[in-house]
Short mmCIF file of all heavy atoms in Angstrom, two decimals:
data_model
loop_
_atom_site.label_atom_id
_atom_site.label_comp_id
_atom_site.label_asym_id
_atom_site.label_seq_id
_atom_site.Cartn_x
_atom_site.Cartn_y
_atom_site.Cartn_z
N LYS T 41 16.07 -18.51 0.29
CA LYS T 41 17.17 -19.24 -0.38
C LYS T 41 17.01 -19.10 -1.98
O LYS T 41 18.06 -19.40 -2.65
CB LYS T 41 16.90 -20.71 0.01
CG LYS T 41 15.72 -21.47 -0.53
CD LYS T 41 15.62 -22.96 -0.16
CE LYS T 41 14.50 -23.60 -0.74
NZ LYS T 41 14.43 -25.09 -0.28
N TYR T 42 15.86 -18.64 -2.41
CA TYR T 42 15.71 -18.43 -3.87
C TYR T 42 16.36 -17.17 -4.40
O TYR T 42 16.47 -16.94 -5.59
CB TYR T 42 14.18 -18.51 -4.22
CG TYR T 42 13.60 -19.92 -3.97
CD1 TYR T 42 12.78 -20.05 -2.98
CD2 TYR T 42 13.84 -20.98 -4.81
CE1 TYR T 42 12.17 -21.34 -2.66
CE2 TYR T 42 13.24 -22.15 -4.57
CZ TYR T 42 12.44 -22.40 -3.42
OH TYR T 42 11.86 -23.65 -3.17
N LEU T 43 16.86 -16.33 -3.39
CA LEU T 43 17.57 -15.20 -3.89
C LEU T 43 18.67 -15.53 -4.69
O LEU T 43 18.99 -14.79 -5.73
CB LEU T 43 17.93 -14.34 -2.69
CG LEU T 43 18.79 -13.10 -3.03
CD1 LEU T 43 18.05 -12.12 -3.92
CD2 LEU T 43 19.11 -12.29 -1.62
N LYS T 44 19.48 -16.55 -4.37
CA LYS T 44 20.68 -16.91 -5.16
C LYS T 44 20.33 -17.29 -6.60
O LYS T 44 21.15 -17.04 -7.48
CB LYS T 44 21.39 -18.09 -4.48
CG LYS T 44 20.68 -19.39 -4.33
CD LYS T 44 21.53 -20.44 -3.70
CE LYS T 44 21.72 -20.12 -2.24
NZ LYS T 44 22.49 -21.22 -1.54
N ASP T 45 19.11 -17.84 -6.79
CA ASP T 45 18.79 -18.08 -8.13
C ASP T 45 18.51 -16.89 -8.98
O ASP T 45 18.83 -16.81 -10.19
CB ASP T 45 17.48 -18.99 -8.13
CG ASP T 45 17.60 -20.28 -7.44
OD1 ASP T 45 18.68 -20.89 -7.49
OD2 ASP T 45 16.61 -20.84 -7.01
N GLU T 46 17.99 -15.87 -8.35
CA GLU T 46 17.68 -14.61 -9.02
C GLU T 46 18.96 -13.85 -9.47
O GLU T 46 19.08 -13.16 -10.44
CB GLU T 46 16.76 -13.71 -8.21
CG GLU T 46 15.32 -14.23 -8.20
CD GLU T 46 14.51 -14.25 -9.48
OE1 GLU T 46 14.87 -13.45 -10.33
OE2 GLU T 46 13.84 -15.20 -9.65
N LEU T 47 20.00 -13.97 -8.61
CA LEU T 47 21.16 -13.27 -8.79
C LEU T 47 21.86 -13.68 -10.01
O LEU T 47 22.65 -12.84 -10.62
CB LEU T 47 22.18 -13.55 -7.55
CG LEU T 47 21.74 -13.09 -6.28
CD1 LEU T 47 22.80 -13.36 -5.17
CD2 LEU T 47 21.26 -11.64 -6.19
N MET T 48 21.68 -14.88 -10.53
CA MET T 48 22.31 -15.22 -11.77
C MET T 48 21.85 -14.39 -13.00
O MET T 48 22.48 -14.36 -14.01
CB MET T 48 22.00 -16.73 -12.01
CG MET T 48 22.75 -17.63 -11.04
SD MET T 48 22.52 -19.42 -11.37
CE MET T 48 20.73 -19.71 -11.14
N ASN T 49 20.65 -13.76 -12.87
CA ASN T 49 20.06 -13.08 -13.95
C ASN T 49 20.21 -11.60 -13.86
O ASN T 49 19.67 -10.88 -14.69
CB ASN T 49 18.55 -13.38 -13.99
CG ASN T 49 18.28 -14.93 -14.18
OD1 ASN T 49 19.02 -15.60 -15.01
ND2 ASN T 49 17.35 -15.41 -13.39
N LEU T 50 20.98 -11.14 -12.98
CA LEU T 50 21.15 -9.69 -12.62
C LEU T 50 22.59 -9.25 -12.64
O LEU T 50 23.49 -10.14 -12.32
CB LEU T 50 20.47 -9.40 -11.21
CG LEU T 50 18.93 -9.56 -11.21
CD1 LEU T 50 18.52 -9.71 -9.82
CD2 LEU T 50 18.27 -8.43 -11.90
N GLY T 51 22.79 -7.97 -12.62
CA GLY T 51 24.15 -7.37 -12.85
C GLY T 51 24.97 -7.48 -11.60
O GLY T 51 24.52 -7.89 -10.55
N GLU T 52 26.21 -7.10 -11.65
CA GLU T 52 27.17 -7.18 -10.50
C GLU T 52 26.93 -6.08 -9.49
O GLU T 52 26.95 -6.40 -8.20
CB GLU T 52 28.63 -6.99 -11.10
CG GLU T 52 29.63 -6.94 -9.95
CD GLU T 52 30.98 -6.48 -10.43
OE1 GLU T 52 31.21 -6.51 -11.61
OE2 GLU T 52 31.77 -6.11 -9.50
N ARG T 53 26.58 -4.97 -9.89
CA ARG T 53 26.53 -3.76 -8.92
C ARG T 53 25.05 -3.76 -8.39
O ARG T 53 24.23 -3.22 -9.14
CB ARG T 53 27.06 -2.52 -9.52
CG ARG T 53 28.52 -2.78 -10.05
CD ARG T 53 29.11 -1.45 -10.71
NE ARG T 53 29.32 -0.51 -9.67
CZ ARG T 53 30.31 -0.33 -8.90
NH1 ARG T 53 31.24 -1.26 -9.07
NH2 ARG T 53 30.43 0.63 -8.05
N VAL T 54 24.84 -3.88 -7.11
CA VAL T 54 23.45 -3.89 -6.58
C VAL T 54 23.31 -2.70 -5.54
O VAL T 54 24.17 -2.65 -4.69
CB VAL T 54 23.08 -5.17 -5.98
CG1 VAL T 54 24.02 -5.72 -4.94
CG2 VAL T 54 21.67 -5.03 -5.25
N LEU T 55 22.39 -1.83 -5.78
CA LEU T 55 22.05 -0.88 -4.77
C LEU T 55 21.13 -1.47 -3.74
O LEU T 55 19.97 -1.78 -4.09
CB LEU T 55 21.42 0.35 -5.45
CG LEU T 55 20.86 1.48 -4.55
CD1 LEU T 55 22.02 2.14 -3.82
CD2 LEU T 55 20.12 2.55 -5.31
N LEU T 56 21.51 -1.54 -2.47
CA LEU T 56 20.72 -2.13 -1.43
C LEU T 56 20.08 -0.97 -0.56
O LEU T 56 20.75 -0.35 0.16
CB LEU T 56 21.63 -3.04 -0.47
CG LEU T 56 20.91 -3.73 0.61
CD1 LEU T 56 19.79 -4.69 0.08
CD2 LEU T 56 21.91 -4.40 1.58
N ASN T 57 18.82 -0.81 -0.71
CA ASN T 57 18.05 0.15 0.06
C ASN T 57 17.40 -0.52 1.29
O ASN T 57 16.79 -1.56 1.07
CB ASN T 57 16.99 0.74 -0.90
CG ASN T 57 17.42 1.60 -1.98
OD1 ASN T 57 18.51 2.11 -1.92
ND2 ASN T 57 16.73 1.54 -3.11
N TYR T 58 17.47 0.14 2.39
CA TYR T 58 16.89 -0.38 3.56
C TYR T 58 16.60 0.70 4.58
O TYR T 58 16.96 1.89 4.23
CB TYR T 58 17.62 -1.56 4.22
CG TYR T 58 19.13 -1.25 4.59
CD1 TYR T 58 19.36 -0.79 5.93
CD2 TYR T 58 20.20 -1.36 3.64
CE1 TYR T 58 20.75 -0.42 6.28
CE2 TYR T 58 21.56 -0.99 4.00
CZ TYR T 58 21.73 -0.61 5.35
OH TYR T 58 22.96 -0.28 5.72
N GLY T 59 16.00 0.37 5.61
CA GLY T 59 15.46 1.54 6.49
C GLY T 59 16.45 1.99 7.59
O GLY T 59 17.58 2.11 7.29
N SER T 60 15.94 2.12 8.82
CA SER T 60 16.84 2.80 9.77
C SER T 60 17.57 1.81 10.67
O SER T 60 18.34 2.27 11.54
CB SER T 60 15.84 3.56 10.80
OG SER T 60 14.93 2.60 11.27
N GLY T 61 17.47 0.53 10.40
CA GLY T 61 18.42 -0.46 11.01
C GLY T 61 17.80 -1.62 11.62
O GLY T 61 18.49 -2.57 12.07
N SER T 62 16.49 -1.72 11.59
CA SER T 62 15.79 -2.89 12.22
C SER T 62 16.18 -4.19 11.51
O SER T 62 16.33 -5.23 12.23
CB SER T 62 14.33 -2.68 12.17
OG SER T 62 13.81 -2.65 10.85
N VAL T 63 16.47 -4.17 10.18
CA VAL T 63 16.86 -5.30 9.43
C VAL T 63 18.22 -5.79 9.94
O VAL T 63 18.58 -6.93 9.86
CB VAL T 63 16.79 -5.11 7.95
CG1 VAL T 63 15.40 -4.88 7.44
CG2 VAL T 63 17.74 -3.99 7.54
N LYS T 64 19.07 -4.91 10.45
CA LYS T 64 20.37 -5.29 11.11
C LYS T 64 20.12 -5.93 12.42
O LYS T 64 20.78 -6.88 12.88
CB LYS T 64 21.23 -4.08 11.12
CG LYS T 64 21.83 -3.65 9.69
CD LYS T 64 22.89 -2.61 9.94
CE LYS T 64 23.47 -2.21 8.52
NZ LYS T 64 24.62 -1.19 8.60
N ARG T 65 19.31 -5.36 13.18
CA ARG T 65 19.04 -5.83 14.60
C ARG T 65 18.32 -7.17 14.55
O ARG T 65 18.66 -8.00 15.47
CB ARG T 65 18.18 -4.93 15.41
CG ARG T 65 18.86 -3.44 15.67
CD ARG T 65 18.05 -2.72 16.65
NE ARG T 65 16.74 -2.26 16.13
CZ ARG T 65 16.55 -1.19 15.39
NH1 ARG T 65 17.52 -0.41 15.06
NH2 ARG T 65 15.30 -0.91 14.94
N ASN T 66 17.54 -7.49 13.60
CA ASN T 66 16.83 -8.77 13.63
C ASN T 66 17.56 -9.81 12.78
O ASN T 66 17.10 -10.95 12.72
CB ASN T 66 15.42 -8.64 13.16
CG ASN T 66 15.39 -8.08 11.78
OD1 ASN T 66 16.10 -8.28 10.83
ND2 ASN T 66 14.36 -7.19 11.53
N GLY T 67 18.72 -9.50 12.19
CA GLY T 67 19.52 -10.48 11.58
C GLY T 67 19.19 -10.69 10.09
O GLY T 67 20.03 -11.44 9.51
N ILE T 68 18.24 -10.09 9.63
CA ILE T 68 17.87 -10.39 8.15
C ILE T 68 18.94 -9.71 7.21
O ILE T 68 19.26 -10.36 6.16
CB ILE T 68 16.44 -9.71 7.85
CG1 ILE T 68 15.31 -10.35 8.80
CG2 ILE T 68 16.07 -9.83 6.43
CD1 ILE T 68 14.01 -9.74 8.74
N TYR T 69 19.42 -8.55 7.62
CA TYR T 69 20.47 -7.98 6.78
C TYR T 69 21.60 -8.89 6.66
O TYR T 69 22.17 -9.06 5.55
CB TYR T 69 20.86 -6.68 7.55
CG TYR T 69 22.14 -6.02 7.04
CD1 TYR T 69 21.94 -5.08 5.88
CD2 TYR T 69 23.28 -6.23 7.41
CE1 TYR T 69 23.08 -4.37 5.43
CE2 TYR T 69 24.48 -5.67 7.00
CZ TYR T 69 24.33 -4.66 5.94
OH TYR T 69 25.50 -4.04 5.39
N ASP T 70 22.05 -9.46 7.67
CA ASP T 70 23.32 -10.34 7.57
C ASP T 70 23.06 -11.57 6.61
O ASP T 70 23.91 -11.94 5.90
CB ASP T 70 23.66 -10.87 8.98
CG ASP T 70 24.32 -9.81 9.85
OD1 ASP T 70 24.68 -8.86 9.30
OD2 ASP T 70 24.14 -9.92 11.07
N GLU T 71 21.84 -12.12 6.71
CA GLU T 71 21.47 -13.25 5.75
C GLU T 71 21.54 -12.78 4.32
O GLU T 71 22.14 -13.54 3.47
CB GLU T 71 20.08 -13.80 6.20
CG GLU T 71 19.87 -14.44 7.52
CD GLU T 71 18.44 -14.89 7.66
OE1 GLU T 71 18.13 -15.79 6.98
OE2 GLU T 71 17.70 -14.37 8.53
N VAL T 72 21.00 -11.59 4.05
CA VAL T 72 20.94 -11.20 2.67
C VAL T 72 22.31 -10.88 2.20
O VAL T 72 22.67 -11.13 1.10
CB VAL T 72 19.96 -9.90 2.61
CG1 VAL T 72 20.04 -9.33 1.24
CG2 VAL T 72 18.56 -10.28 2.93
N ILE T 73 23.08 -10.20 3.01
CA ILE T 73 24.49 -9.68 2.61
C ILE T 73 25.35 -10.95 2.32
O ILE T 73 26.07 -11.00 1.30
CB ILE T 73 25.21 -8.94 3.83
CG1 ILE T 73 24.52 -7.56 3.96
CG2 ILE T 73 26.61 -8.74 3.47
CD1 ILE T 73 24.59 -6.66 2.72
N ALA T 74 25.16 -12.02 3.12
CA ALA T 74 25.94 -13.25 2.88
C ALA T 74 25.66 -13.81 1.59
O ALA T 74 26.51 -14.37 0.86
CB ALA T 74 25.65 -14.27 3.96
N ILE T 75 24.37 -13.84 1.16
CA ILE T 75 23.85 -14.38 -0.17
C ILE T 75 24.46 -13.49 -1.27
O ILE T 75 24.92 -14.09 -2.30
CB ILE T 75 22.38 -14.61 -0.21
CG1 ILE T 75 21.98 -15.49 0.78
CG2 ILE T 75 21.89 -14.88 -1.59
CD1 ILE T 75 20.34 -15.57 1.06
N LEU T 76 24.30 -12.24 -1.12
CA LEU T 76 24.89 -11.35 -2.15
C LEU T 76 26.33 -11.46 -2.36
O LEU T 76 26.86 -11.56 -3.46
CB LEU T 76 24.48 -9.86 -1.80
CG LEU T 76 23.02 -9.46 -1.79
CD1 LEU T 76 22.82 -8.11 -1.29
CD2 LEU T 76 22.43 -9.58 -3.28
N ARG T 77 27.05 -11.64 -1.31
CA ARG T 77 28.59 -11.74 -1.44
C ARG T 77 28.97 -13.07 -2.03
O ARG T 77 29.91 -13.23 -2.81
CB ARG T 77 29.18 -11.61 -0.02
CG ARG T 77 29.20 -10.12 0.37
CD ARG T 77 29.78 -9.84 1.70
NE ARG T 77 29.84 -8.48 2.07
CZ ARG T 77 29.99 -7.94 3.22
NH1 ARG T 77 30.02 -8.78 4.28
NH2 ARG T 77 30.02 -6.55 3.56
N GLU T 78 28.15 -14.06 -1.52
CA GLU T 78 28.41 -15.48 -2.19
C GLU T 78 28.12 -15.43 -3.70
O GLU T 78 28.83 -16.10 -4.50
CB GLU T 78 27.47 -16.45 -1.50
CG GLU T 78 27.72 -17.89 -1.95
CD GLU T 78 26.73 -18.89 -1.32
OE1 GLU T 78 26.10 -18.55 -0.33
OE2 GLU T 78 26.62 -20.01 -1.81
N GLY T 79 27.24 -14.68 -4.10
CA GLY T 79 26.84 -14.53 -5.50
C GLY T 79 27.72 -13.58 -6.28
O GLY T 79 27.66 -13.37 -7.48
N GLY T 80 28.87 -13.02 -5.59
CA GLY T 80 29.89 -12.12 -6.33
C GLY T 80 29.29 -10.85 -6.64
O GLY T 80 29.97 -10.10 -7.46
#
Side-chain angles (χ1 to χ4, degrees):
K41 71 181 183 181
Y42 295 103
L43 176 59
K44 63 178 67 175
D45 297 334
E46 291 296 329
L47 296 184
M48 294 186 293
N49 304 314
L50 293 161
E52 176 193 345
R53 304 178 68 79
V54 51
L55 174 64
L56 180 64
N57 295 327
Y58 56 95
S60 59
S62 62
V63 293
K64 289 189 174 181
R65 292 190 296 273
N66 59 36
I68 299 170
Y69 170 88
D70 290 335
E71 293 181 65
V72 172
I73 292 297
I75 294 171
L76 292 173
R77 286 178 175 161
E78 182 183 345

